[in-house]
Amino acid sequence: MSTTRTRRAAALVVATVTAALVLTACGGDDGDSHGSGHDTSASASASASASASAASHNAQDVSFAQGMIPHHRQALEMAEIAADRAASADVKDLAGRIEKAQDPEIKTISGWLKAWGVDVPEDMESMPGMDHGVGSAMPGMPGMPGMMDDADMEKLRKASGRDFDTMFLTMMVEHHEGAVEMAGTEQAKGSYQPATSMADDIVTSQTAEITEMNKILGKS
């Protein structure tokens, strides 16, 4: 009897241990299965998001972004010159507002291009044959509306006082008109919503500044 009980007890222990091992293995398999499924799902989601991002912009959006960066950079350079050369407080105030608005836009647009895997235009001073100011002869962007050429920028740098104010305002009106034209094309043909929204803002704000500058020039 004692021997029989011992054998039964041993068999029960073996059965219990075996069942525990089976349950643990199943639990591990389930965990791995869930983890693998989660990873696969996350990967598919990331891939879908990337595809959606790529599909949400078109060639016009890229053209707008790559053109607006150097366009804004030149406006910033003109505004920086005004800080030292302008005689009118109104001109200095306008230049300050241009810097405040357009510098963040350059950063935003650069982020779009990087996300799209597209080259961000180089700084103007690093471009071959260019001396800070970039004109219509800029490589790859012939005739960009409103851009000043090197001779215009050199004249602006040498001017001061009231002469500077008149030259700055006249040039900046033309520059803004070019930006409004570029933004209008983006409004009509772009597909990337943040870019078309920025184009809306550019048309609204720079059209208002054109009116303001013409009033200062006495052309109201």
Side-chain angles (χ1 to χ4, degrees):
M1 286 293 292
S2 177
T3 300
T4 301
R5 288 176 181 174
T6 301
R7 287 176 179 174
R8 287 177 179 174
L12 180 61
V13 170
V14 170
T16 301
V17 171
T18 301
L21 290 174
V22 170
L23 288 173
T24 301
C26 290
D29 289 343
D30 288 345
D32 290 344
S33 176
H34 291 314
S36 177
H38 177 76
D39 292 344
T40 302
S41 176
S43 178
S45 177
S47 178
S49 297
S51 297
S53 176
S56 66
H57 72 280
N58 60 16
Q60 167 55 36
D61 297 318
V62 174
S63 177
F64 171 72
Q66 289 189 317
M68 196 55 71
I69 287 176
H71 205 278
H72 272 15
R73 282 175 180 156
Q74 188 176 73
L76 291 180
E77 183 182 2
M78 293 167 70
E80 288 168 1
I81 297 171
D84 295 327
R85 299 300 184 89
S88 167
D90 289 336
V91 171
K92 289 185 176 182
D93 176 68
L94 174 66
R97 282 183 277 131
I98 288 171
E99 286 192 76
K100 185 176 180 180
Q102 297 194 22
D103 187 51
E105 287 180 347
I106 290 173
K107 293 181 175 66
T108 297
I109 296 170
S110 297
W112 296 342
L113 290 172
K114 290 175 182 176
W116 298 338
V118 178
D119 290 339
V120 177
E122 300 177 25
D123 291 336
M124 288 186 289
E125 54 270 10
S126 68
M127 301 184 78
M130 297 295 167
D131 182 14
H132 299 285
V134 180
S136 61
M138 191 169 104
M141 297 182 184
M144 196 190 322
M147 290 290 281
M148 300 299 109
D149 60 22
D150 289 345
D152 292 330
M153 294 300 293
E154 188 61 25
K155 288 178 183 177
L156 188 65
R157 293 187 195 97
K158 291 179 178 179
S160 61
R162 293 186 181 275
D163 288 341
F164 175 89
D165 293 344
T166 299
M167 190 178 299
F168 172 84
L169 292 169
T170 301
M171 289 182 177
M172 193 59 80
V173 165
E174 181 180 350
H175 203 271
H176 272 24
E177 288 173 344
V180 169
E181 180 182 338
M182 294 165 67
T185 302
E186 173 63 16
Q187 287 176 315
K189 299 180 180 180
S191 66
Y192 187 60
Q193 193 275 326
T196 56
S197 292
M198 181 180 288
D200 292 342
D201 292 340
I202 288 172
V203 170
T204 300
S205 62
Q206 296 202 23
T207 297
E209 288 176 350
I210 288 170
T211 300
E212 178 184 351
M213 289 187 283
N214 280 328
K215 285 182 179 180
I216 297 174
L217 284 167
K219 295 181 180 179
S220 57

